[in-house]
Amino acid sequence: MEKEFSVSMELVDNYKFLVDFGSYGELVSDEPEPLGEGQGPNPSRILAASVANCLAASLMFALRKFKDEPGKVSAKVKGHLDRVDGRWRIASMDVDIKLGNASATLSHLERALEQFEDFCVVTQSVRNGIDVNVKVEDSDGKLVKG
């Protein structure tokens, strides 16, 4: 497992960014109207997708570890925004995962369900909080924050 990763992004215009995942491709992110033009998912939606994707993959991992086949897994996530100290924050997320195979065919489902969330790097990191260190440089490379 890689212990470091990097993602870069560049402003295209207004609030639209081109996010570069290196060898994994690119993604356009944008804020919805009235700030942006909604030409891609905004950061809240990208975070929600990351949480749901990680949980679904973790459940598949937990089941496959016991040689159970989950089938075509799908997930849906609903994020809830709320004001905290006058600022919008993601207050909670509801993730619904659907297995592609019947539970009766998954002999280790109960055991997998007890542990799969622990394998999810993204969800557990969000739940426990992440230290985010920020620095800002100007166009001349002068550090203006950090």
Side-chain angles (χ1 to χ4, degrees):
M1 176 180 216
E2 297 176 43
K3 295 193 179 188
E4 290 184 348
F5 59 90
S6 64
V7 175
S8 60
M9 61 186 57
E10 185 172 317
L11 180 65
V12 176
D13 61 39
N14 204 15
Y15 288 89
K16 182 168 76 172
F17 284 86
L18 180 62
V19 184
D20 184 354
F21 295 94
S23 62
Y24 298 105
E26 298 175 333
L27 168 80
V28 171
S29 72
D30 194 6
E31 291 293 333
E33 293 182 355
L35 291 176
E37 297 175 13
Q39 294 184 0
N42 68 355
S44 297
R45 285 173 174 79
I46 294 170
L47 179 61
S50 296
V51 168
N53 184 197
C54 189
L55 284 167
S58 294
L59 180 55
M60 290 171 42
F61 174 83
L63 286 166
R64 289 177 175 163
K65 184 171 80 169
F66 297 115
K67 309 293 188 237
D68 282 346
E69 182 49 52
K72 189 175 180 180
V73 173
S74 62
K76 186 172 186 174
V77 59
K78 186 173 191 176
H80 305 276
L81 299 173
D82 200 1
R83 287 200 181 264
V84 177
D85 296 327
R87 305 278 189 239
W88 286 110
R89 300 291 182 254
I90 300 170
S92 65
M93 290 185 208
D94 299 323
V95 181
D96 295 321
I97 301 171
K98 185 172 182 173
L99 297 170
N101 288 331
S103 60
T105 67
L106 305 170
S107 57
H108 297 92
L109 179 60
E110 187 175 322
R111 189 162 176 202
L113 290 173
E114 290 173 1
Q115 58 184 248
F116 86 98
E117 291 183 53
D118 290 337
F119 293 113
C120 182
V121 173
V122 175
T123 302
Q124 293 304 341
S125 297
V126 170
R127 282 181 175 157
N128 291 321
I130 301 171
D131 287 334
V132 179
N133 303 301
V134 178
K135 75 176 184 180
V136 179
E137 294 180 358
D138 71 7
S139 61
D140 295 326
K142 178 182 175 190
L143 187 65
V144 294
K145 181 188 182 326

